[in-house]
Amino acid sequence: MSTPPSSRRVALLTLGCARNEVDSEELAGRLAGGDWQLVDADDNADVIVVNTCAFVESAKKDSVDTLLAAGDSGAKVVAVGCLAERYGAELAESLPEAAAVLGFDHYPDLAERLGDVLNGHAIPAHQPFDRRTLLPITPVHRPAATGDLSVPGHGWGPRMLRRRLDSGPVAPLKIASGCDRRCSFCAIPSYRGAFVSRHPDEIVAEAAWLAGQGVRELFLVSENSTSYGKDLPRELGGLEALLPRLAAVEGVDRVRVSYLQPAETRPSLIAAIAGTEGVADYFDMSFQHASEPVLRRMRRFGSTESFLDLIERIRALTPAAGIRSNVIVGFPDETEADVDELARFLTEARLDAVGVFGYSDEDGTEAAGLPGKHDAATISERVRRISDLVEQLTAQRAEDRIGEEVVVLVEGDGTGRAEHQAPEIDGECVLPDGLSVGDLVRGKVIDAAGVDLVVEPAEIR
């Protein structure tokens, strides 16, 4: 007997990055449009959809643990997202607690597929394949080939397919999906696919909708934002042309760019970020390491000196810019001298925030087959060493900001973020009580605690 559509209740749990958050809100829109009632996971949901992450081993474990915990609720559990796309049938076989494991190509019909699950119909598990093969190798030939392709987060259109899952004043906005780079440690392109830009008109329309929902900061996300526009007609321009349009959207006070590749960061892009009113002076640079031999084995470009030169050019235009990065230590054949070089770079770069990751093999990547692997103890020691250094350096950088004037977007009771602080990862500003979520507060930094700043308000804008 089929369950009446009006009584179907679904919960969405999201793991991983801001790109997954956008995908979940698109899925929420599809489900709401398919007669599903969106509820919290502990609110008698009939189905719990877990949008999984497969970035590193710890993220995979968190995804599996979340799927198992969701199953304890008595609801039927469906796995979607990167872990489901990457492993498909293998995940389904090892996790019988999941009623279905669905890939990205199931997203357009997710409401119907969950109906099948609820009514006891078995759905064949997703069969993984290299999604880069779905599109032409040449980026300029891709727009004509994406018509029937399911690309999560690209579903904006006449039928609004996004529904916000929180009411905060900040929202991620996807500008592209996929990646054409071939970093030897990264499996993301194989399951997220080749790089595809969204049309700027579509992005601006979604930005206006988000502003109408009370969003004051747009957090632009993709796998590689510096490539934005390379597959679009030249007259549409790249990120330099998109940023002023987004900053001009009524109701939007701040636009933040994420995921910049140093090798692709053009002088014109630096100038656009630094010189466009309403765009945060914030540079999320994917350095990964600083030793040239390690970077070459990673299939990346750069060096300590070239990275420091890039940082110098950024700060020449906007001295107070926020600059953050991630680094990987323990890569195959990394030497103590390589770690010393990374430490030298971090010391001279004076970054605001740095994520430190220990290397781990990823299925299907070139690095997984490289010689010179380090044992877990060596990797852990190097993570500890660089993490300790980063903690000291970023705290010093925060102290250097004492006396600066900042504009803080209030996001909680007594907390918010300045331009140099991205959501969740770069610290926050501590404010007096009594301010409202969504307020923009101009004030002065009077103290620092680690990467967090204490701000004395002067004016609500």
Side-chain angles (χ1 to χ4, degrees):
M1 181 175 178
S2 297
T3 303
S6 59
S7 65
R8 303 186 303 184
R9 298 163 65 86
V10 61
L12 272 164
L13 300 179
T14 306
L15 300 168
C17 64
R19 300 185 294 275
N20 256 16
E21 293 176 21
V22 176
D23 295 351
S24 284
E25 293 195 348
E26 179 191 322
L27 294 179
R30 292 183 183 278
L31 291 170
D35 294 321
W36 283 87
Q37 182 184 355
L38 295 165
V39 299
D40 293 333
D42 57 358
D43 189 17
N44 296 318
D46 298 305
V47 181
I48 298 177
V49 177
V50 181
N51 190 353
T52 60
C53 178
F55 178 50
V56 292
E57 202 59 42
S58 59
K60 298 174 192 175
K61 182 180 184 303
D62 288 345
S63 293
V64 171
D65 289 346
T66 302
L67 287 162
L68 292 172
D72 292 340
S73 68
K76 292 184 181 293
V77 179
V78 173
V80 299
C82 292
L83 192 70
E85 176 65 36
R86 186 174 178 185
Y87 293 103
E90 180 183 345
L91 178 64
E93 184 177 353
S94 62
L95 200 70
E97 293 84 353
V101 175
L102 307 180
F104 297 148
D105 291 334
H106 288 102
Y107 283 16
D109 303 313
L110 187 64
E112 291 83 356
R113 298 292 75 75
L114 295 194
D116 292 339
V117 167
L118 193 56
N119 292 322
H121 303 310
I123 303 173
H126 164 68
Q127 296 295 329
F129 59 95
D130 191 333
R131 292 187 71 85
R132 289 171 293 190
T133 61
L134 295 176
L135 289 170
I137 293 176
T138 307
V140 294
H141 293 149
R142 289 176 189 161
T146 56
D148 298 324
L149 180 62
S150 178
V151 183
H154 290 229
W156 189 265
R159 296 186 306 110
M160 185 181 65
L161 294 177
R162 181 170 181 176
R163 176 165 174 169
R164 293 210 69 200
L165 295 175
D166 69 60
S167 58
V170 182
L173 176 58
K174 188 175 287 191
I175 62 172
S177 291
C179 185
D180 290 340
R181 301 187 71 86
R182 294 295 182 267
C183 301
S184 64
F185 55 84
C186 183
I188 291 174
S190 66
Y191 56 87
R192 277 290 183 177
F195 185 87
V196 182
S197 301
R198 296 180 67 191
H199 193 285
D201 291 349
E202 180 181 311
I203 298 171
V204 172
E206 187 169 347
W209 177 80
L210 287 168
Q213 301 290 307
V215 171
R216 300 193 73 173
E217 178 177 316
L218 302 173
F219 185 36
L220 307 187
V221 298
S222 71
E223 275 75 26
N224 177 8
S225 296
T226 35
S227 281
Y228 177 77
K230 72 176 186 178
D231 51 336
L232 298 176
R234 183 172 299 179
E235 61 269 20
L236 294 178
L239 199 51
E240 296 92 327
L242 178 64
L243 290 176
R245 293 186 63 186
L246 292 173
V249 172
E250 185 176 356
V252 171
D253 294 283
R254 182 185 290 166
V255 178
R256 183 182 304 278
V257 184
S258 64
Y259 306 110
L260 301 175
Q261 290 290 341
E264 299 179 35
T265 302
R266 307 167 293 278
S268 60
L269 179 56
I270 297 174
I273 294 174
T276 303
E277 185 176 357
V279 175
D281 291 338
Y282 178 81
F283 294 81
D284 177 12
M285 309 300 305
S286 178
F287 291 124
Q288 303 299 347
H289 211 282
S291 167
E292 286 191 74
V294 175
L295 287 166
R296 298 305 173 268
R297 287 195 295 277
M298 289 180 168
R299 301 296 184 197
R300 296 179 65 85
F301 302 94
S303 64
T304 293
E305 303 311 324
S306 67
F307 292 162
L308 291 175
D309 176 70
L310 176 58
I311 291 169
E312 184 178 348
R313 286 186 281 123
I314 291 170
R315 289 183 173 146
L317 292 178
T318 173
I323 306 177
R324 67 113 48 217
S325 191
N326 294 318
V327 297
I328 298 172
V329 294
F331 196 78
D333 262 345
E334 179 191 60
T335 65
E336 288 293 339
D338 294 324
V339 182
D340 291 343
E341 183 68 3
L342 175 59
R344 180 174 81 88
F345 164 68
L346 293 171
T347 301
E348 296 186 28
R350 297 171 52 244
L351 303 177
D352 290 274
V354 183
V356 182
F357 295 89
Y359 171 80
S360 61
D361 285 339
E362 285 296 314
D363 299 335
T365 62
E366 178 186 354
L370 291 177
K373 298 288 176 58
H374 296 289
D375 58 39
T378 299
I379 295 174
S380 295
E381 190 280 326
R382 292 180 181 181
V383 168
R384 182 198 58 76
R385 174 189 168 187
I386 296 299
S387 296
D388 288 349
L389 175 64
V390 161
E391 184 176 354
Q392 296 174 33
L393 294 172
T394 53
Q396 291 169 9
R397 176 66 174 156
E399 289 176 1
D400 290 344
R401 292 189 180 276
I402 295 175
E404 279 188 11
E405 183 179 281
V406 293
V407 177
V408 180
L409 177 61
V410 181
E411 295 184 350
D413 187 16
T415 61
R417 290 178 302 101
E419 283 195 36
H420 70 281
Q421 296 168 318
E424 300 181 359
I425 56 175
D426 294 344
E428 62 185 15
C429 292
V430 179
L431 299 159
D433 293 337
L435 297 167
S436 300
V437 171
D439 282 347
L440 271 178
V441 179
R442 182 178 60 82
K444 179 180 288 188
V445 179
I446 59 172
D447 200 0
V451 294
D452 296 335
L453 304 178
V454 180
V455 175
E456 182 179 80
E459 174 190 23
I460 297 177
R461 287 172 45 178

